[in-house]
């Protein structure tokens, strides 16, 4: 059976002292949670101090992005070796903010996904449609294209996670309904079944992201094909993130 994964994407928030104090609180609030995986993805500048603070805790550490080369003249970039060095187990790849603001396309995203798996960092590949695409009935087409291009060259034995994040639900307070999200998650599993074996498609965790809050987490996470959440705004406070992890309504 798939194990739930609840991930916090802190985006461009938290100085070092703020980050350390947030994980300190999370460690305490989540110390008895054993039946699901919890992940925090701080900004690069806070990875090292958060790693130190997380020692002895079962909370995983991840990054929000990376470049695909190991080293070289790539000003401003961070490599998979640097993330490995900090014990990052996961890396978010292809978030819609990177696609839109930083013009990342499926080809670049695919190189990053391949590099992450080569370095044994589990990529969380983000896919999702804009409001315009949903309204013109293109959700499945867009998601299928992002999946097929993003996962090109990935093999059956590679470990990866998919995050379905409808762009219109990110940071808007307007979450997809559990039924709407379930429908797309099932579709994603079907596409994975075309790319890989049925067993693999069944094992891959598919997270939902977009305005996940303590109030809606339980109903989303109870859906058959929703295996976790990628939480933005509500992951910035220990209280709301731990409530989401524990399915406690606010
Ligand atoms: P919000 O939870 O703030 O809508 O952000 C979702 C997201 O983009 C997580 O990656």
């Amino acid at each position: 059976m798939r194990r739930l994964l609840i991930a916090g994407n802190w985006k461009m928030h938290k100085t070092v002292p703020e980050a350390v104090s947030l994980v300190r609180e999370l460690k305490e609030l989540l110390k008895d949670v054993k039946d699901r995986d919890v992940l925090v993805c701080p900004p690069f500048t806070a990875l090292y101090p958060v790693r130190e603070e997380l020692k002895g805790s079962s909370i995983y550490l991840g990054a929000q992005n990376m470049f695909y080369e190991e080293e070289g003249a790539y000003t401003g970039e961070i490599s998979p070796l640097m993330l490995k060095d900090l014990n990052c187990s996961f890396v978010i790849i292809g978030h819609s903010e990177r696609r839109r603001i930083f013009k990342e396309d499926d080809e670049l995203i695919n190189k990053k996904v391949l590099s992450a798996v080569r370095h044994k960092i589990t990529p969380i590949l983000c896919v999702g449609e804009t409001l315009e695409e949903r309204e013109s009935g293109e959700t499945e087409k867009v998601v299928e294209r992002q999946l097929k291009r993003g996962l090109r060259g990935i093999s059956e034995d590679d470990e990866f996670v998919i995050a379905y994040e409808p762009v219109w639900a990110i940071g808007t307070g307007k979450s997809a309904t559990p039924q709407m999200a379930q429908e797309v998650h099932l579709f994603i599993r079907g596409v994975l079944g075309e790319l890989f074996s049925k067993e693999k498609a069944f094992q891959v965790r598919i997270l939902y992201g977009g305005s996940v809050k303590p109030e809606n987490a339980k109903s989303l996470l109870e859906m058959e094909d929703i295996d976790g959440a990628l939480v933005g705004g509500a992951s910035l406070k220990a209280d709301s993130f731990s409530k989401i992890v524990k399915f406690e309504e606010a």
Side-chain angles (χ1 to χ4, degrees), residues 3-4 32-37 245:
R3 198 173 149 89
L4 279 177
D32 298 326
V33 173
K34 306 266 186 268
D35 62 344
R36 55 201 67 188
D37 293 333
V245 171

Side-chain angles (χ1 to χ4, degrees), residues 7-9 11 92 95-97 126 163 165 169-173 208-213 230-235:
N9 173 9
K11 306 193 180 183
I92 300 170
H95 191 280
S96 66
E97 287 149 16
C126 300
E165 297 208 308
I170 297 178
T172 57
Y208 168 79
S211 298
V212 176
K213 299 183 272 287
L230 185 53
V231 186
S235 72

Side-chain angles (χ1 to χ4, degrees), residues 64-240:
Q64 300 172 19
N65 179 32
M66 65 167 218
F67 193 54
Y68 55 82
E69 293 288 0
E70 291 189 347
E71 61 177 3
Y74 303 103
T75 302
E77 293 298 311
I78 299 286
S79 88
L81 293 183
M82 294 167 180
L83 297 184
K84 279 303 274 188
D85 198 26
L86 295 175
N87 293 358
C88 285
S89 313
F90 294 85
V91 59
I92 300 170
I93 304 280
H95 191 280
S96 66
E97 287 149 16
R98 298 220 54 92
R99 292 178 189 261
R100 179 172 51 87
I101 307 168
F102 302 100
K103 311 285 178 248
E104 291 196 8
D105 60 14
D106 288 318
E107 197 186 331
L108 175 64
I109 289 164
N110 177 238
K111 285 184 176 159
K112 293 183 176 193
V113 168
L114 288 170
S115 174
V117 297
R118 207 165 45 241
H119 290 90
K120 302 274 178 262
I121 305 172
T122 304
I124 301 177
L125 171 64
C126 300
V127 299
E129 80 289 1
T130 62
L131 185 59
E132 209 181 5
E133 289 162 343
R134 172 160 285 264
E135 285 176 346
S136 53
E138 290 180 351
T139 299
E140 293 191 350
K141 195 177 93 187
V142 170
V143 166
E144 181 171 0
R145 187 189 65 224
Q146 291 172 337
L147 283 172
K148 289 192 169 164
R149 293 190 182 167
L151 294 173
R152 197 170 280 164
I154 288 294
S155 66
E156 183 81 13
D157 300 328
D158 292 327
E159 200 169 316
F160 62 89
V161 171
I162 302 295
Y164 169 57
E165 297 208 308
V167 180
W168 48 270
I170 297 178
T172 57
K174 258 193 277 166
S175 158
T177 63
Q179 292 71 22
M180 267 161 113
Q182 163 62 24
E183 220 172 89
V184 183
H185 281 230
L186 186 61
F187 173 76
I188 291 173
R189 212 174 290 290
V191 175
L192 294 175
E194 283 176 40
L195 297 172
F196 307 99
S197 67
K198 293 277 171 290
E199 294 71 35
K200 176 75 175 174
F202 181 76
Q203 282 162 11
V204 172
R205 291 188 282 192
I206 308 175
L207 315 183
Y208 168 79
S211 298
V212 176
K213 299 183 272 287
E215 295 82 350
N216 60 16
K218 184 164 185 274
S219 57
L220 285 160
L221 291 164
E222 276 175 354
M223 302 306 285
E224 173 116 19
D225 289 283
I226 303 185
D227 310 312
L230 185 53
V231 186
S235 72
L236 298 173
K237 290 211 167 80
D239 178 57
S240 49

